[in-house]
Amino acid sequence: MSSSSQFGHSRIGRYARQLDAGIGWLRFQGDMEREYALQIDRDERRPAMVGAVFSLAFIILFGISDFVRLPLVARFPDLTADMWGILTSRWVAVLFLLGCLYICHRQGGASRAAPLSVAAVLTLAVSGAVSVCLYKRNHLGHAEFAQLLFVMGAFSPLGLRFRHSIALATGVVVLTFSLRYWLLPAELREQQFNAMLLLTLIFSAVGGYLRERAHREQFLLRGILKEQALRDPLTGLANRRGLDEQLEIIRQQARRENVPVGLLLLDVDFFKRYNDRYGHQAGDLALQRVAACLDAFARRPLDMACRMGGEEFALVLYDCGVTSLKDRADALCPDVQGLCIDHATSDICAFVTVSIGGVLLQPQETAWSALDRADQLLYEAKREGRNRTSVERVLPVAAVA
């Protein structure tokens, strides 16, 4: 993600833009939808596991109760086809859920919350519908309206997004109707139950829609707070905390790809004099214009512009060798001067200028160490007259992050 997209000069971040655009269709724009899906999976994986375990216990409990209610022990193995059907539906469901739980446990961090929830709800629905129909066909006591709970369960917070929940709930309704028409004679099919099943689907869907809409809004609000915590409010660039977090990601990626990472540290020349001469409001506007110029150099996805504090800025350049780092630094100085921001109290130029120190990150080097080396070179550029660059010419031990 580029500096412009994540910490860009715009005062409104991508989460705020998405919130302003609305979420009526329960879908975010671009990569944010995938980010939301990953967040859902992380948040709901444990509830999905708990739900699957509960479903397993539920089926086992009713499977055991079958032996008492029917009674099966006294009749075993001379059971009717319907009795064998009830037992088969119970224990096939038990084995299926055990297999799902085992796969989910073995694959650990993989995205398994949604498939596990689908498996649990469908297993309960099919097993329950078969058992109820066979109980009813044999004029035994049954809890037919418990099937309504399976439709409602599709909209539980178990790792499913709304469009998946509505598809699952519709599938449960279709399966229930199909099994009733297959297993029950016409005189035992209650139209009242069919209407209740459809009404349960409609009301559960409305509740599920509202729940996900509220959850998505909370996701965006948390994102806005995080952006604000990592962004400088004056310039819209990353702040020091944002640099520390993003730099570690950049280092890891560069290590995998075996490419160098450059770091430029900039300081606005004689900025205290500028504030004294033109006032703090003009100083803030000058910093914003310098920040916009700096942000324009962070063109690639893993480049990053940052305001370190006061009049000091940093620029991280991915896949940038010594020569390229020097060229970028030498281009940045005249670009800032070319903004033509009047600076009557500067000793070196009639306009605002910057001094720059640059280094390549060394293997396993911390951000503090790299910034300290860049700061020493920045001091050297100031000592030599300001409005100039001082870039380290020593290559890193290896092309790294």
Side-chain angles (χ1 to χ4, degrees):
M1 186 176 301
S2 70
S3 171
S4 297
S5 61
Q6 184 175 7
F7 297 110
H9 189 61
S10 170
R11 300 299 296 279
I12 301 179
R14 62 193 187 103
Y15 295 100
R17 289 195 299 271
Q18 178 63 69
L19 190 61
D20 290 342
I23 50 177
W25 293 103
L26 298 184
R27 188 168 184 84
F28 295 139
Q29 300 169 356
D31 291 340
M32 193 174 293
E33 182 65 21
R34 182 173 179 272
E35 182 182 341
Y36 176 74
L38 293 174
Q39 182 66 49
I40 284 289
D41 187 70
R42 286 193 296 268
D43 291 347
E44 305 297 350
R45 185 172 179 271
R46 184 177 295 275
M49 292 283 288
V50 172
V53 171
F54 174 80
S55 301
L56 181 62
F58 185 83
I59 294 173
I60 292 175
L61 178 64
F62 276 88
I64 294 173
S65 72
D66 291 334
F67 284 88
V68 178
R69 297 174 61 204
L70 295 179
L72 296 178
V73 176
R75 300 180 183 181
F76 193 85
D78 299 323
L79 305 178
T80 65
D82 285 354
M83 296 304 101
W84 278 114
I86 292 173
L87 287 179
T88 301
S89 70
R90 301 286 197 202
W91 296 109
V92 167
V94 168
L95 293 175
F96 180 72
L97 279 177
L98 283 173
C100 291
L101 285 166
Y102 175 76
I103 292 172
C104 185
H105 176 71
R106 281 293 299 270
Q107 298 193 356
S111 180
R112 288 291 178 267
L116 186 62
S117 297
V118 170
V121 173
L122 279 180
T123 302
L124 277 175
V126 173
S127 176
V130 169
S131 300
V132 166
C133 289
L134 294 180
Y135 266 88
K136 190 171 186 178
R137 194 163 70 178
N138 287 271
H139 306 288
L140 299 171
H142 57 275
E144 187 171 42
F145 284 94
Q147 292 176 257
L148 302 179
L149 297 176
F150 305 145
V151 177
M152 299 168 62
F155 296 94
S156 301
L158 297 176
L160 296 175
R161 283 169 284 172
F162 176 75
R163 63 178 181 273
H164 300 149
S165 294
I166 194 70
L168 175 59
T170 303
V172 169
V173 171
V174 171
L175 282 171
T176 302
F177 283 162
S178 301
L179 289 170
R180 285 168 62 82
Y181 277 86
W182 177 42
L183 297 174
L184 292 177
E187 63 271 14
L188 294 179
R189 302 171 194 156
E190 298 178 6
Q191 295 304 315
Q192 179 185 8
F193 174 77
N194 294 341
M196 287 294 295
L197 197 62
L198 290 174
L199 286 174
T200 301
L201 172 62
I202 293 171
F203 282 106
S204 297
V206 172
Y209 172 86
L210 295 175
R211 182 184 65 82
E212 180 166 327
R213 183 183 176 90
H215 190 271
R216 285 178 177 265
E217 288 178 349
Q218 289 299 316
F219 169 80
L220 293 176
L221 291 173
R222 288 195 300 268
I224 291 171
L225 290 175
K226 182 178 179 181
E227 280 188 334
Q228 290 175 346
L230 301 179
R231 176 180 294 164
D232 173 56
L234 176 65
T235 63
L237 300 182
N239 58 19
R240 176 57 191 271
R241 180 180 175 184
L243 174 67
D244 290 342
E245 288 196 10
Q246 190 73 0
L247 189 57
E248 182 57 31
I249 297 174
I250 295 171
R251 286 165 55 84
Q252 292 176 5
Q253 181 67 24
R255 185 178 296 113
R256 286 192 293 268
E257 298 185 0
N258 194 33
V259 297
V261 175
L263 173 66
L264 297 178
L265 197 61
L266 301 80
D267 192 85
V268 179
D269 296 323
F270 302 113
F271 189 69
K272 183 179 183 305
R273 296 184 189 179
Y274 186 94
N275 272 338
D276 292 341
R277 172 66 174 80
Y278 297 98
H280 288 282
Q281 185 174 0
D284 289 347
L285 293 174
L287 291 176
Q288 288 175 342
R289 294 183 63 185
V290 171
C293 180
L294 180 64
D295 196 38
F297 276 74
R299 294 185 292 266
R300 293 173 300 181
L302 288 176
D303 291 347
M304 182 183 188
C306 165
R307 184 187 179 199
M308 301 293 291
E311 68 273 20
E312 191 171 57
F313 297 86
L315 180 64
V316 179
L317 298 170
Y318 189 77
D319 192 9
C320 182
V322 173
T323 302
S324 179
L325 185 66
K326 175 65 174 173
D327 291 343
R328 302 287 285 279
D330 289 342
L332 186 52
C333 268
D335 275 13
V336 172
Q337 184 175 332
L339 296 174
C340 298
I341 305 172
D342 290 336
H343 192 349
T345 55
S346 173
D347 290 345
I348 54 174
C349 183
F351 302 117
V352 166
T353 60
V354 293
S355 301
I356 303 176
V359 298
L360 292 183
L361 273 66
Q362 298 291 329
Q364 308 302 325
E365 184 178 31
T366 64
W368 284 99
S369 176
L371 287 168
D372 184 65
R373 291 193 297 115
D375 189 61
Q376 293 177 22
L377 290 169
L378 172 60
Y379 179 77
E380 181 179 318
K382 290 181 177 181
R383 187 178 58 201
E384 292 178 356
R386 301 179 189 260
N387 191 24
R388 64 190 65 229
T389 67
S390 178
V391 175
E392 186 178 55
R393 286 291 183 176
V394 179
L395 289 171
V397 175
V400 297

